[in-house]
Amino acid sequence: MKALEVKGIVKQFPGVLANDSINLSINKGEIYAIVGENGAGKSTLMKIIYGLYTPTSGEIFVFDKKVDIKTPHDAIGLKIGMVHQEFMLVARFTVTQNIVLGDEPSKGIVFDYKKALSEVKELSEKFVLKVDPAEKVANLPVGIQQRVEILKILRRGAEILIFDEPTAVLTPEETEDLFKTLMKLKKDGKTIIFISHKLKEVMAIADRIAVLRRGKLQGVVEKGKTSEVELARMVVGRDVVLKIPKAEAKVGGTVVSVRDLMVKSKRGIVGLKGVSFDVRAGEIVGIAGVEGNGQAELVNALIGFTRPVNGTITFDGKELRVITPFNIRKKGMAYIPKDRKMRGLVLPFRSRENIIMGQHTLYPFSKNGVLNSIEIDKFATKKLEEFDVRPRDIHTKARNLSGGNQQKLILAKEMSMEHKFLLASQPTRGLDIGAMEFVYHKLIEEKEKGVAILLISLELSEIMGLSDRILVLYNGEIVGETTPDKTTEEELGLMMLGLKRQKRVAQ
Amino acid sequence: APKTEEPVEETIKIGLVTDVGGRGDRSFNDSALRGLETWAGKVQYVKGGGYEPISDAEFNASIPGDLKDKNIQPLGVSAMVLESKDKKDYIPNIATLVEQEECDLVIGVGFMLAGAIGESAEKYPDTKFMLIDAAAVDADGKMIDPPNVVGYLFNEHECGFLVGAVAAYATGTGKVGYIGGMEIPPVLRYEAGYLAGLKTIDPSIVVIGQYTGSFTEPALGKSAAESQISQGCDVLFHAAGATGNGMFQSICERGAPYWGIGVDVDMGLDENLCPPRTLTSSLKHVDYATYLAIKSVVEGTFQSGLVTMTLKDGGVGYAPDHVADALTQDQIDKVEHLREMIIDGIFEVPTDPDDVDSWTPPTGF
Amino acid sequence: MKDVLKRIVFGKREKYWWMNALVPLISILLAFIVGAIFIKITGRSPVVAYKLLFGASGLFPGPYWKSHFAEMLLSSSMYIATGLGFAIAAKGGLFNIGAEGHFIVGGIAAAYLGYAKPFAGLPKFIHLPLIIVGVMLAGGIWGAIAGYLKAKRGIHEVITTIMLNWIALYLIEAWLVTGPMKAAVETGVSGTPYISLSAKLPKIFPPTRLNISIIIILAVTFLVWYLFYKTTFGYEIRTMGHTLIFGMEAPKAAGINVERRTIQTMFIAGAVAALGGAFMILGVLFQYPPIFEGGYGFDGIAVALIGQNEPLGVILAGILIGALRTGATTVQLAHIPKTFPSIIEGFTVAFIALQMLIRYWIMKFVMRKKKSIQSEMGGGAK
Amino acid sequence: MNSNIPFLNASIAQALDYTAPILFAALGGVMSENAGVVNIALEGMMRFAAFFGVWGSFVSGNAWVGLLWGVGIGIVLGALHAYITVKWAGDQIISGVAINVMAMGMVTYLLESIFRTTGYSPPVAYFGAPASKIHLTFLKGIPILGAFAELTILIWFALILVVVLHFVLYHTVLGLRIRAVGENPHAAETLGINVFKIKWFAVIAGSVLAAFGGLALSLGTLSSFTNSMAMGKGFIGLAAMIFGKWTPFGALGAILIFACAQVLQLFMQGTATGFAKLIPLGFYLSLPYMLTIGALIGVVGKAVGPASDGVPYKKES
Ligand SMILES: Nc1ncnc2c1ncn2[C@@H]1O[C@H](COP(=O)(O)OP(=O)(O)OP(=O)(O)O)[C@@H](O)[C@H]1O
Ligand SMILES: Nc1ncnc2c1ncn2[C@@H]1O[C@H](COP(=O)(O)OP(=O)(O)OP(=O)(O)O)[C@@H](O)[C@H]1O
Ligand SMILES: [Mg+2]
Ligand SMILES: [Mg+2]
């Protein structure tokens, strides 16, 4: 039986043909992956299926019946559920409130919160997705937030589950948990549509894989009859070297030196408990660790969002007493934030305006406080080309870029800014494989130019492949320091979970 | 302009510019409008616009008791009233009345128009102007006396004094209230007179006085009145325009033994306020002054300069309302005696509340 | 030439750039139509009303045109000032309800500097600029208080600007004007003393009282436009404008000093709105009267919104509202209440708010094909 | 000190009197903004309702009919605001300003057309008349509680509404959905909640509450409409709502601070002697406003509203 079929789906945005006559046919009980480069139209197609977008033309069949999905309400009625690329959660609500929202247990008009709590507890046990039903969502790590999302749709009896880049924000462990869940759901007979840029994951979990390129369906392959390399070629249209180029570090002087840094988290507890390390010119220092172990606090202290409780940060040999984003950037720091919407871009701004943010006060973009639009346009045109931001139009508003292209715009902005130190927090989040390769090259290039790089990533392969030294952050402390050739992903994984400690190498 | 009215050849046309308070304030502006529309024009304003004539009975009823002997008769003029939305509107409004409507006399209601009338008078020497509550000033703020402007001032402190005396006799608790709008000259004169009147009768009377900061918010007036009553005041006087309506509401809700004292017009006649508990009103006959000015134009006896309306000429006074119910005949006689003393110039009432402390009242009351 | 104009006026690259101009025009037109219906329903003649209103608005030639025109521009300069006060803050993501307060603070500062001794003796070419600077400083500081409380204490600017309006009102009218700044009793003037000759704005269109206020405000508007779109400072304010209300931190992360810019934005907003009050004192009233309720600050919000918070738009909207208000008192000749123009103003703003609908209509008209409208509009109706 | 009890009680009663209209407005804001729609038209809605209430009462001679008229205009204005901001995703501030400006013009226009005055309507039947008040005689004379012995029904209604609204927002299904829509309408929508319906409801309900604020002014405390009646009260309600962090009880607390300061101000002014007499009037009058800012600086701190408050919700296309 076909769980879902789409026929001739076309979606036209102003100036962009996001979906161009797409036909897909998905069997009941299979895990169906969709891959494709950034801006290929994956999210758009999913939003059409879920009733968030109206297609310009095309038909949808669910369980062999032609359907007209106008709103998510219709989709839910057809037992379609979706876990969105950006989570659809009410941050101030509890887990329970989020899960039962829209279908609440009640006594008359009164919301029966007790019953809801127990329902959620039951549900979470049934599907082996552990959550604390009474916790506020805002306080949860993304992995758990995703569980909430999944529980939400399962509670509504979804048979077709759509996951839009579910692993982009997950740690490897969380990804593994998710896969266990997906396999279990598959066993229960549910149909799963899975979007990812990580071809290894796709190969691990999918039954069939559809490839989208520039809005068109490139082809559908069975997992058994393809390989990562071939998939990669289908996605980007050329061969991709999946291996990260290795370059020897020509280490220079210390650029950033952190001593005994103690930082409070947003919730007021000490999230970073006295951390010391150096980053030297021409090296990449990787920070490995499960999210929520102090990365956010470290970043916030380094860019001056949070004032440390204790400890010092020395930049270029000078101790900085008060750090503000302004003065630290002036000293030569670039920062790739992990949350592009909150910290990376001004969404209603056009690409040309976004790309100079942070260096707008510098020549040639401005002189004596007066902006030079000709220079800005020239620069933006060049950078969009270099970083392959699509569409290439410098007047596109950031809001209308696909997730991956927004990320590329941020990279273009930050990496073209003059800097001695690059703080990169998950720089490849949401990037397609071609773009990822490009970013790796860029980082190596920077390092060779003598930039000191601090790389924070959940992606162990990224950390292992790029770093010259690796620091493991656990529970607000550095529990180990190592180099990629002296360790394995498994060992790192143990350290990240606090199960193994290692003496720091003297510097 | 639309030719909805009859030709204006023979009739004398009077223009009036209100201050921002506007029509319907139950006091100052309405008083001026009564002088123009009701008395001089013998018409009433109809909703939706325009005028309709009124009957003789209505005309007679509109004349308060203390003016019955002033021989107020319709003057057959036509009226044109422009309200102002903003202080900037005064001069253009006057210009419209002079240039477009060709009014013979233009009346500015309120001291706010002193500058506008002053400037316009110089610009339109052939038109006559009347200004209420102020002397005309020029663009440099200097008082001027152009030959085509008459200004009417009122001795509010004199009538304030008499209602103060009445209040002092009427209070049973020895505490009285005063509610002011804003600390502007006429209001301060009322306050000074009131305090002096109280002091004259009984220096030990406690006055709880409050300014609400507004002439247009009855809710604040009510709130001030409630506050004063709960502190033991039983006679309340206000000089706060429409804000004082709230005071009367408070009085009305409580009934006896509380008394309210009205301001500017005889509020004891205003069905919309609280006739049964209006002790008296300190009268300031803007209506009569307006009427007099119009009459002088109609009769060709217009004289420029400043006219001060006093107790002596009936321009200010106090209304009988319920005075006879609250005061003994002896007390009424004493108030009347004080009135005559002021008219005769035997003593002077202070015009500034700050001077009352050092002012020596006449004795024997 | 057309391209340059397009670029300046509409921001180039909009496919339907003319929409941005058409929508306000249609809004105004619709407002006049609805206003006419309202007048008709309440038993009056719309023809007479509009004849009087426009006849005295100063927009069209006719008898007394000169003085109406002058009065219109006098009003407009004040509306533009307060409108800009709102628009500047809005550009920075701040919701400034404080223009009313800035207006009166500007007024009292102008009055004081206009009459007080050390200044009053100065020659005009020193005295007047000095007053303007002083006024902008006073208004700016009053605005910056709200900016400071927002930036450093996180207190919502809506609360502070509302409260500061009242505080300004009472401190000025129930203290300064009736106390330390009261004119001497002998002069017979209530309110503050009159300003000296050297403080009066020079007239430019005799015999009317039109003065250079309109020129000043046009120059200021140009500077504001330049600031917004041509300078790094304006750029930073605009980054804030798109992020501040949503709690986004991109400008801050990019090294923009959001706190300082917030204070500065409110300073500028206050300074410009205060000019309106100064125009009133220096060009119309020549003193600060005991009661000075104008409502210019609140109307400024409407002006800014009709002008879509863009400098050029604010000028045009300011002229429109100025014209409506100038014609307003004259409609009373036909016994139509003077507040009638406010009704039109209200409807205009309402239709501006309904611009999605108007755009939809226009697109429907232009394309005559419903299917593609939604994708062209990129959202909205479904 | 027994003699002070009547004064104390009267002062509290007065503060409550002062509280009611602003409280209604603030609750209207709480209702609407929890669903993500900013309503700065509270002021204009109060003004409209204050007038229509008086009109209805004038025509019928019955305050309850006036109440109905006021509620009616509240519904109409709420529907207008919702039509603009919810149906057509119009800017909520612009729509609110439009209603405020219209209230300035239209109400005065109607006032003149109906009552032949531009400033003040004649008195009409109202809820504050001694006979119409709710008499709880047994409370009389008891300190503090005595203040509740003679309140108008509208004050009681306002106070009860605080509890009701709290219950609705935090303990009912509808409330959960309203808050979800205000926090993250996209999330709500993906769960099949009809975001538009909820917003329509919340905006209209909020407008009706604001209308009650106007009614409390014209038919509660006073018995007539005056042109400057709502002047600023709606905006103070807006400020109180933010001060109270968008919650019913928070708003009540904020307004009580303000109302008590107002009563205190009048009292201090009236009884000022010695040094206090030298303090200029302006300082007394601005005291409540300064205290509000002071309270925010000192105690309350940063207020964060519903996450999507003010953001027009557009269905993607
Ligand atoms: N609301 C919109 N308006 C205009 N263009 C849009 C809109 N949403 C998406 N697009 C464009 O449609 C195209 C497809 O976007 P979509 O988000 O589906 O890509 P995607 O395959 O999910 O990419 P990514 O891997 O980066 O998430 C992109 O070119 C994007 O710029
Ligand atoms: N006993 C209960 N019965 C029904 N619902 C409840 C109950 N307790 C809590 N809730 C639900 O939990 C939610 C939040 O609870 P509550 O109102 O106590 O505020 P809270 O989450 O503690 O937030 P805060 O303390 O930050 O204001 C509400 O939406 C309410 O519906
Ligand atoms: Mg996507
Ligand atoms: Mg993506």
Side-chain angles (χ1 to χ4, degrees), chain A residues 125-378:
Chain A
E125 276 158 12
K126 181 174 158 205
F127 288 97
V128 207
L129 289 165
K130 214 168 147 324
V131 291
D132 174 2
E135 181 63 275
K136 278 211 171 117
V137 160
N139 300 339
L140 295 176
V142 273
I144 311 288
Q145 290 191 2
Q146 192 169 60
R147 281 186 205 161
V148 178
E149 285 277 23
I150 299 172
L151 282 172
K152 226 162 74 174
I153 58 181
L154 287 175
R155 184 165 176 276
R156 278 165 184 72
E159 289 297 323
I160 303 169
L161 286 80
I162 302 171
F163 288 85
D164 192 353
E165 289 193 52
T167 58
V169 290
L170 298 188
T171 62
E173 294 74 32
E174 287 170 339
T175 303
E176 238 166 74
D177 285 348
L178 174 69
F179 282 4
K180 273 187 213 141
T181 308
L182 293 186
M183 293 311 287
K184 185 173 173 311
L185 291 173
K186 179 183 165 180
K187 224 169 66 204
D188 292 350
K190 315 243 184 235
T191 310
I192 290 164
I193 303 175
F194 176 83
I195 296 176
S196 177
H197 290 296
K198 300 176 186 171
L199 301 178
K200 198 184 274 170
E201 291 174 354
V202 169
M203 291 299 287
I205 190 136
D207 297 313
R208 286 194 298 157
I209 303 152
V211 182
L212 249 53
R213 199 135 79 81
R214 314 226 160 152
K216 280 205 177 71
L217 182 64
Q218 205 64 19
V220 182
V221 290
E222 283 187 29
K223 194 223 327 239
K225 294 187 186 142
T226 187
S227 66
E228 250 182 83
V229 178
E230 194 196 347
L231 263 186
R233 190 184 304 126
M234 281 178 79
V235 168
V236 273
R238 62 180 162 87
D239 281 326
V240 185
V241 190
L242 283 164
K243 259 190 100 69
I244 297 169
K246 201 69 216 178
E248 273 311 302
K250 283 194 236 65
V251 178
T254 303
V255 178
V256 171
S257 171
V258 171
R259 289 290 171 272
D260 306 319
L261 195 65
M262 258 172 95
V263 186
K264 273 195 184 161
S265 76
K266 267 194 185 149
R267 278 187 283 159
I269 52 168
V270 179
L272 204 59
K273 305 170 178 167
V275 164
S276 304
F277 63 87
D278 289 339
V279 188
R280 290 163 297 179
E283 71 168 346
I284 298 180
V285 175
I287 301 248
V290 178
E291 182 145 305
N293 277 285
Q295 292 95 328
E297 290 76 15
L298 176 62
V299 167
N300 283 346
L302 281 174
I303 63 158
F305 268 50
T306 317
R307 213 167 160 169
V309 188
N310 192 19
T312 59
I313 297 171
T314 309
F315 199 101
D316 237 359
K318 272 239 298 279
E319 187 188 319
L320 302 176
R321 282 228 201 79
V322 181
I323 301 182
T324 64
F326 178 72
N327 69 20
I328 189 83
R329 275 187 174 273
K330 215 159 115 189
K331 287 222 167 333
M333 169 160 133
Y335 165 51
I336 298 167
K338 75 168 195 203
D339 189 334
R340 48 194 172 229
K341 295 216 165 104
M342 291 307 281
R343 285 203 180 163
L345 298 169
V346 176
L347 293 178
F349 266 14
R350 300 168 196 286
S351 294
R352 65 181 287 277
E353 286 169 300
N354 262 307
I355 209 161
I356 58 159
M357 188 163 68
Q359 48 188 336
H360 57 280
T361 50
L362 303 177
Y363 187 81
F365 308 118
S366 67
K367 206 170 138 187
N368 301 328
V370 179
L371 291 167
N372 182 340
S373 9
I374 293 168
E375 286 297 329
I376 294 169
D377 287 358
K378 253 203 284 189

Side-chain angles (χ1 to χ4, degrees), chain A residues 38-39 41-44 85 164-165 195 197 402-404:
Chain A
N38 295 126
K42 306 178 292 293
S43 299
T44 304
Q85 196 166 356
D164 192 353
E165 289 193 52
I195 296 176
H197 290 296
S402 78

